[in-house]
Amino acid sequence: MKAADENQIVWDLLEWGNLEALKKFTPENFDWRALHPTEKNTLLMEGVACGLAGPNEAYLDIIEWLVRSGADAAQRTPPSSQGNYSIWLIEDPDKTKLTVAYKGLESGYSVIIQHSKTYAQALKRTGPATGGENSDFGGHSAISYLLAWKRELQDKAEWSENLAYLDKALARITTATQHIRPVREKVAIDQSVVELWERVLDATASHNLTFETADGPVTAHAHVLMEASPVLKAMLDSSMKEGETRRIQVKDSPSRGVSLFLETLYTCSTRSEPNHETVLIALDLAHRWQVYGVVNIFAELLQEMITDANFAAIAEAAVLKDLEGVKKVCRIHGMESRAVQERLKKGLLPKMLQDLLGHKASPAASCPKKRRRF
């Protein structure tokens, strides 16, 4: 089956509202940032809209599954997206029809109305039945689109169930997003505290632990590293060579990477301007020693450093270490970068990155080579 046909099945099943079928038939490498083939709205916007008519709360599970699978609630549609979505009470559609139009005059977007679908619901005893048709999605994200509908339905008693559905949909999106990309809690501290820990790190006379790096020793405080890392604690508490000598071999890492790891561990900051290579080295050490707080710091930093030139190195580290936030940003960059797409088409990216970008190998490339049997 062609990729275009597989993608169309996903959109059809999304409109139908069958989560089990979506899970079964969605391609393994489906592009979760794909836009609707004709209307150019996002997957999450389509899910929110389809559930709004009724409302149909079965879509809440679908919305959560979409986010957990990779759909981005902040993804915006291009100005060229077309369509409109309206809802109305079946008993009086002319007087009750509501449409959310994105006028956005300051941003240059115009309103394009295109009646392309109709969703009719039977009248429920528990509330007003509604019908719906596709709305103007131009420039919206799923979040802004949902909030626009909330403003439209606010203080209208006949739409209370639909408004409640939107609140639940927003809650599901929020919960699912936090599950995928946990928020790193931060606190504001006085500058003097940071300066104090910088002096502690710089007090080499009190250091009692040495890292033997590829280009020379780097020292630190054993008790700080033991508190931060269960791996280093096990090594230094044991009768192993590291525990007896207080020297740890990291000959595969240059001193600049170890120093960045230590500076970040002590002060959650750095006085240097590390490049992506140094950050990747420090990330590898933090991940190896299970200092996950520092892993998260470097993961956030790498998200801001991705370019066409370093895409492969950062994306490969993200895949190998299962850094969801970095993988997501790499996937977005890779999909939007002409240079990366060119390398992808030529087969110049490792298979793990081809999989990350949803690229399927040609049948010739995927077939096993013939072997001569003896």
Side-chain angles (χ1 to χ4, degrees), residues 96-116:
T96 61
K97 184 175 181 179
L98 297 174
T99 300
V100 171
Y102 187 79
K103 297 182 179 180
L105 297 178
E106 292 182 359
S107 63
Y109 297 124
S110 60
V111 180
I112 305 174
I113 306 298
Q114 176 182 345
H115 299 286
S116 56

Side-chain angles (χ1 to χ4, degrees), residues 256-286:
R256 69 180 189 277
V258 178
S259 296
L260 177 61
F261 165 76
L262 292 172
E263 191 175 13
T264 305
L265 175 64
Y266 275 69
T267 70
C268 196
S269 63
T270 179
R271 290 165 285 186
S272 63
E273 293 291 338
N275 57 26
H276 79 278
E277 294 175 337
T278 303
V279 176
L280 285 173
I281 295 166
L283 169 68
D284 184 67
L285 294 171

Side-chain angles (χ1 to χ4, degrees), residues 56-65 164-170 172:
N56 184 351
E57 294 200 355
Y59 276 93
L60 296 176
D61 290 336
I62 292 175
I63 288 168
E64 183 171 348
W65 175 77
Y165 159 80
L166 292 172
D167 288 333
K168 293 175 183 177
L170 182 58
R172 291 292 190 97

